[in-house]
Structures are given as structure tokens and as C-alpha cells.
Amino acid sequence: MTQLNYCPVRWQAKRYGNEIAIKTDHKSLSYLQLDALVGSLNKQLVDLKSGERLICISDNSLSLILLQLTCIRLGIIFCALNPRFSEDEVKQRIEVLQSTIIYSADSVKHCQLNSLELDFLMPNSVAVTATAKYEDIAIDPKQVCNIIFTSGSSGQPKAVMHCFQNHFYSAFDSQSIIPLNSKNRNLLSLPLFHISGYASVIRTLLASATMVLSKKTLTSELLKSQKITHLSLVATQLFRLLENTQFNAADLSIEHLLLGGSAFSDDLLATTKARGFCFHLSYGLTEMSSQVASSTNNKNLMQLPNQQIKIINDEIYLRGKTRFIGYFNNDLKSSLIPDSEWFASKDLGSLNKKQLTIRGRKDRLMISGGENIQAEEVEKAILKFPGIKQVYVVAIKDPVFGHRPVAFIDWHNQKHLLKQLQQFLQKSLSSYKQPIHYFNLPQQTTLKVSLKELKAIAEYNLKIR
């Protein structure tokens, strides 16, 4: 594991210099060229002190990846924010991060911020031979290298701190079930402000594979033209791809599909398998640097090598080399937590011979008329009804029962078959578990839906105060 102690970009440039590191719609960069670009940014940011937070507001781009990797080399902290955040949402996170060092790709939208002016162009002279002369660059693998905000789907988002060691062993775990090598091409299909996107870049880099970046819509045509072999998807992305019959393993180069972020219906998985794809369901979280347990062509989630799991009162507790190093709170040193500390995930489940079963979130359990209702159980039942892409169930206040469930549904082709769905649920759910109202799921601009916002929408529309 010597590689753990060195800058991953320089490490690969020294050993795989002429292999393609990143491919965009317009150009390809070798690992040597990537190293030169990181070196150029290193010089531009050299005045930043170790531990300072660099706030980056941008869509996925080559520039954003370069900043991510430069931060690892310099020992500064990469803090990517969703560019679709409102002004208040950006301000709130900047206040948490306590930093005035900001890079924004959209100087018009964020004109109130004092954005850094950086040169992302290739230096004039870049050696592409004699890689042996390159010296490895030592880094501290336990130093904070990034902060990623949790989605805050049920409450306030938290600023999760990771070190390079977290991502290194997370990539190692992923390799144990989803092999990735220098001949492979991994499409960056998820955002860098989310753990899935950040981890995807690190996994690809450590495997000396090629990271593919594209501004084009995710389609079968794009996957075919870019010869993508590895792809990470949330349920909505998979559903849209499967609508096209050309999305099948026989016509594409795809070797592995990593699926996560929300529930996947049995129909969706059956169709994926029937199309010839090898898929991997994943249970993961920001606090564990991505994957904790994954499956292969089934729903059996198996514990990954560097994950420690125990169950206390049905709740999943986690620890290990991928566990985050603390929630940032005013000061780096005081925000760190001991390596030995277990993280209470708030996920409910069981563990049997390294097979992990997830029942739902502890904070999504509602009590209705004295009966327990797990929101995920209701969602799972609804997803079995044909023609539904996604569903989220939230609890609303009720003067008689305490709380009642309501559902937000993303219908396929907007065919609202409510009566048929209600009849279908009568066979699979007790009456008290059946939603009392159904809404259309609002269009989402983030990877994870805000359950807090859905609850507010439901209560407003049903005039609950």
C-alpha cells in the first residue's frame, strides 16, 4: 500500500505517463499532461495554507477535477458546492466552511462572490517522455482533503470531512467487486459535490483507467461512441436509458453498472439483467466514503473488505478505514473523531455472514394510530406496480392518528393509474400503511430528493398547520 502515501496523479504519471487519464468531448489528456496541469494549479494556489478550505461552485468539468486533485497534492481542502443552489443555500454553506477562498465557474450568477481567477491551460512545455525522472510527491494520507455536504434529505446538511486514506481504501473495496483497469473507461455521470462523483474520480485514477467527461445527454449513443465500460447510475438515469432498446449489453462496451442513491424496483433490475448487463446494487453513505456493501446481479448486499459493521438495536453501526474523520465545526482539530469510534448510521438492518439487509431509515419510521410504518416498506410495495419510475413516502401530521403516509410518484409517461394502484396496494399493504394522498414528484435538480421539502409541499397542499 505504498501508493497511499503519495500524490496519486504524480504516481500514475511516473508509471503510466502516456496512458489516457481524462477524455472530454474535445480532447484527451495523458497522465503526464494531467500531472503538468495539476502542477500549474499547484503554483497558482501555493500561497494557500494547508487545511484552508477552497470552495468550488461548478458543474462537472475538467477544471473542477483539476482542483479536486490539486487539493490532494497541496493539502488544502476541496469543498464542492452544487451550482444550482440558491444564493441563500450557497451563503449558508460558506458560513459553515468559514472560508473566503472561492472558485466559481459562473461569475455572473455568483457575481457577489470574490472568485479566484485561475489559468487551466496546459503549460507551454510538457515532457511526454522520460517518465523515470519524475519523483513521487509525498502527501499525508490522514490529512483532510475534502468536505462534502450530506444531502440533508431529512434535516440540516452536515459538512463531512474525508482524508485521502478514506478514498484510497474505498477504491480498494470497490475493486474487490467491480474490477477497473487501464483498459477501461469510466463515465463521470454523477456530480463531484456528491460522494459518488468524488469517489468515481479517485477510483478511476488509482486504477490508471480513463475518466470520461461529457456535456452531452446521457444516452446509449454517447455510451457507445465513448466506449464506456463502467457506469454509475441512480434509478431515474437507469430508467431513462432502458426506455431505449439500444441500451443493451450486446451493443455496448459496458462491463459493470454500479447502482445506488435510492430504491430500484424489481422490474427495473429484471429488465437490466435481461438486457445482458452486470449490475451491482450498492448501500453506501457520505460518512463511509461511498460503498459499504454491494451485490452482483442480485439484491444480496455483501460487506466490503475494509468495512466494519455491527448491529445495535436493529441500527447499523459502521467503522473502518473508509469512515469519515469528522463533521467540520468551526475548527479542523476539534472536529476530528477517534479512529476507534463507531458511526451510528440511522439505517435499520441486519447482518448475516457478511450479507447486509437494509430495512430503512430510523428517522423515516412513523407512528400512525399506534402502529409503526417504515416509509421504505411502503415505497417498495408501490414500486412493484408497473409504470412507476420513483416514489418517496413522507409522514404528515394527523389529529386522529398522529401521522399518516403520503406518496410522491414519478410516473412513466405521466399515466396516472391511481385507482389501479390503490387496488394493487390493498393486496400487499395493511390499510394503515397505504398512503392517504398521492402527489406528482416535483422535478429534481439534485441527486437526492429533499424529504423535508416534500413534506412541506404535502402539508401546504393539504392545508395542515
Side-chain angles (χ1 to χ4, degrees), residues 9 24 29 68 91 209 228 338 346 360 432 434:
V9 175
T24 70
L29 289 176
Q68 173 192 9
K91 183 180 177 182
I228 301 302
K346 293 186 179 178
Y432 67 88
Q434 295 170 28

Side-chain angles (χ1 to χ4, degrees), residues 142 144 161 323 325-327 331-338:
K142 293 191 175 182
V144 184
M161 303 188 300
R323 197 218 60 197
I325 53 179
Y327 294 117
D331 172 73
L332 278 178
K333 191 173 181 181
S334 63
S335 299
L336 298 174
I337 56 178

Side-chain angles (χ1 to χ4, degrees), residues 396-464:
I396 59 168
K397 294 176 185 175
D398 185 275
V400 177
F401 294 92
H403 288 92
R404 298 299 298 274
V406 299
F408 285 81
I409 295 178
D410 184 7
W411 295 88
H412 178 44
N413 292 333
Q414 296 303 306
K415 291 181 180 177
H416 301 177
L417 306 175
L418 274 179
K419 286 186 179 179
Q420 293 91 327
L421 172 60
Q422 288 169 320
Q423 291 171 355
F424 176 82
L425 292 179
Q426 287 173 7
K427 299 175 183 178
S428 56
L429 287 176
S430 302
S431 58
Y432 67 88
K433 294 181 180 180
Q434 295 170 28
I436 61 166
H437 199 89
Y438 296 85
F439 296 94
N440 289 337
L441 180 67
Q443 188 172 0
Q444 301 301 306
T445 57
T446 57
L447 194 61
K448 276 194 173 182
V449 70
S450 171
L451 300 175
K452 191 177 178 182
E453 286 182 15
L454 294 185
K455 183 176 179 179
I457 291 170
E459 294 188 340
Y460 176 81
N461 281 282
L462 298 173
K463 300 295 186 284
I464 296 172

